[in-house]
Amino acid sequence: MFLFKHVNDLRRYLQSEREKGKTIGFAPTMGALHQGHISLIQLSRQESDITVCSIFVNPTQFNEQNDLDKYPRTPEMDIELLAVAGTDVLFFPGVEDIYPANLETRLQLDFGSLDKVMEGGFRPGHFAGMAQVVNRLLGIVEPQKLYMGQKDYQQLTIVRRMLELNHIPTELVMCPTVREEDGLAMSSRNIRLSPEERSQASLIYRLLAEARDLMGEKTPADIQANALAQLKAQGFRPEYFEIVDGRTLLPVQLFDESDFMVACTAVWVGNVRLIDNMVLKQPEMQEEQTQEWEA
Ligand code: AMP
């Protein structure tokens, strides 16, 4: 595995590979890697000649300094995991490489409601920072395919829109959420949970699965009210539990209102903020694709 810290070194290397006709797959991350991240690498390796992973804890997407300071950093373990997974290139830049003083990297894009709801409401500025860094990284790596997790469903929807608005010819590949045995979505933040919180946290998954099972029997509003009550009864602090249209991310009132629905939630478990989601209903074609990804 090659490790590059500076933009020009990485660009030079990727250009030489492109000239040999090699295709590039890219998985951007913030490190503290786990099997969820590695699943992106594995998919990229199946579909692309060169797999690039970046590790960059992007300061512009953190709306709280404390969250940025506490974000887990495990570089040695990350390098080991990526090498074992067969990653070709690791890009590990510093803040000055991604945001040089003489370069305007901020984006002025109108995402409509996509960046205002859910995470957008609770983490002001988060998606502007996320879009800024993904756009900057895409400009450096110029991959054919970009691998991102369904775990961050709203993020993925916004990146898809960003690719369209900026006419970026990269294909976005949605990778299924990888979960622990009890259903908890893998997340870099999970290591900050106490053992007790960790064992209770699977409630989030169970409520999403219950939403899927009760769809049609109960209204979205009933399912939402029940989920919020159960999360609070457990001592968690839910920020939202929404059932939304999978394209617009706007809440739905009835289950036959849309052919594509996703339940999304953000919950404070102690002082750790966890997000998760589950597709409740999706158009035929996407279902086939999901099964293929899971195979
Ligand atoms: P992060 O390091 O949290 O910014 O995540 C980097 C990428 O990994 C994003 O595209 C995430 O959606 C994806 N990811 C994180 N956790 C998981 C998971 N449990 N399953 C699948 N993808 C994930």
Side-chain angles (χ1 to χ4, degrees):
M1 181 171 78
F2 290 107
L3 193 160
F4 295 102
K5 293 196 163 178
H6 302 295
V7 172
N8 285 343
D9 299 335
L10 172 68
R11 273 207 173 118
R12 214 170 296 125
Y13 173 76
L14 291 179
Q15 187 52 31
S16 72
E17 292 301 305
R18 243 180 245 114
E19 280 163 13
K20 293 181 211 156
K22 302 272 176 78
T23 58
I24 296 169
F26 177 43
T29 80
M30 298 205 299
L33 301 181
H34 48 68
Q35 208 44 47
H37 297 111
I38 296 304
S39 73
L40 274 50
I41 302 295
Q42 286 165 341
L43 204 49
S44 171
R45 288 194 64 210
Q46 287 170 23
E47 301 181 343
S48 309
D49 298 322
I50 306 272
T51 292
V52 180
C53 176
S54 65
I55 296 181
F56 179 63
V57 183
N58 174 36
T60 69
Q61 75 187 65
F62 283 82
N63 52 317
E64 279 181 25
Q65 183 66 35
N66 189 35
D67 193 22
L68 172 62
D69 295 342
K70 284 206 184 137
Y71 199 82
R73 288 166 174 85
T74 56
E76 285 89 12
M77 240 165 63
D78 291 350
I79 292 171
E80 175 76 26
L81 273 175
L82 289 173
V84 169
T87 314
D88 299 291
V89 175
L90 168 58
F91 181 41
F92 210 146
V95 175
E96 59 291 349
D97 296 285
I98 296 299
Y99 303 125
N102 57 354
L103 186 71
E104 180 53 83
T105 55
R106 276 170 302 183
L107 279 182
Q108 298 290 340
L109 289 177
D110 184 1
F111 293 114
S113 59
L114 297 182
D115 63 346
K116 316 267 180 317
V117 296
M118 300 191 289
E119 292 298 284
F122 285 94
R123 302 188 66 191
H126 167 64
F127 286 127
M130 181 282 293
Q132 176 189 26
V133 77
V134 173
N135 187 57
R136 170 79 173 125
L137 290 168
L138 287 177
I140 296 167
V141 179
E142 295 183 61
Q144 270 89 359
K145 292 194 178 192
L146 171 65
Y147 295 86
M148 299 188 84
Q150 184 197 321
K151 157 85 175 19
D152 299 274
Y153 187 76
Q154 190 172 7
Q155 163 173 291
L156 195 123
T157 307
I158 292 170
V159 169
R160 182 175 293 125
R161 186 82 188 114
M162 183 183 84
L163 297 176
E164 285 166 12
L165 289 170
N166 281 347
H167 304 282
I168 299 175
T170 296
E171 181 191 334
L172 179 60
V173 181
M174 176 165 96
C175 307
T177 303
V178 178
R179 299 180 178 281
E180 302 285 357
E181 260 177 36
D182 64 356
L184 178 68
M186 289 193 183
S187 163
S188 306
R189 294 169 196 267
N190 291 353
I191 50 180
R192 292 179 46 214
L193 297 167
S194 71
E196 196 191 354
E197 288 165 347
R198 168 63 194 85
S199 71
Q200 293 170 342
S202 62
L203 175 64
I204 299 170
Y205 167 75
R206 292 201 304 276
L207 291 171
L208 290 167
E210 196 174 294
R212 188 188 51 200
D213 298 342
L214 291 177
M215 190 182 63
E217 248 175 74
K218 293 204 168 162
T219 64
D222 284 346
I223 290 174
Q224 178 189 42
N226 171 54
L228 289 171
Q230 289 205 49
L231 289 164
K232 285 179 193 157
Q234 181 63 257
F236 298 169
R237 281 173 296 130
E239 284 187 344
Y240 61 83
F241 188 103
E242 300 264 0
I243 296 176
V244 300
D245 180 280
R247 298 181 189 87
T248 64
L249 305 184
L250 294 173
V252 293
Q253 264 74 51
L254 298 168
F255 276 119
D256 52 11
E257 200 175 300
S258 167
D259 62 346
F260 190 10
M261 286 186 197
V262 188
C264 300
T265 186
V267 181
W268 285 93
V269 176
N271 57 11
V272 183
R273 186 176 185 277
L274 301 178
I275 61 169
D276 198 355
N277 66 80
M278 191 170 290
V279 173
L280 307 184
K281 182 180 180 184
Q282 62 188 337
E284 285 294 288
M285 214 190 91
Q286 301 223 0
E287 202 169 321
E288 279 167 24
Q289 279 179 4
T290 309
Q291 281 165 2
E292 195 182 307
W293 293 330
E294 280 168 352

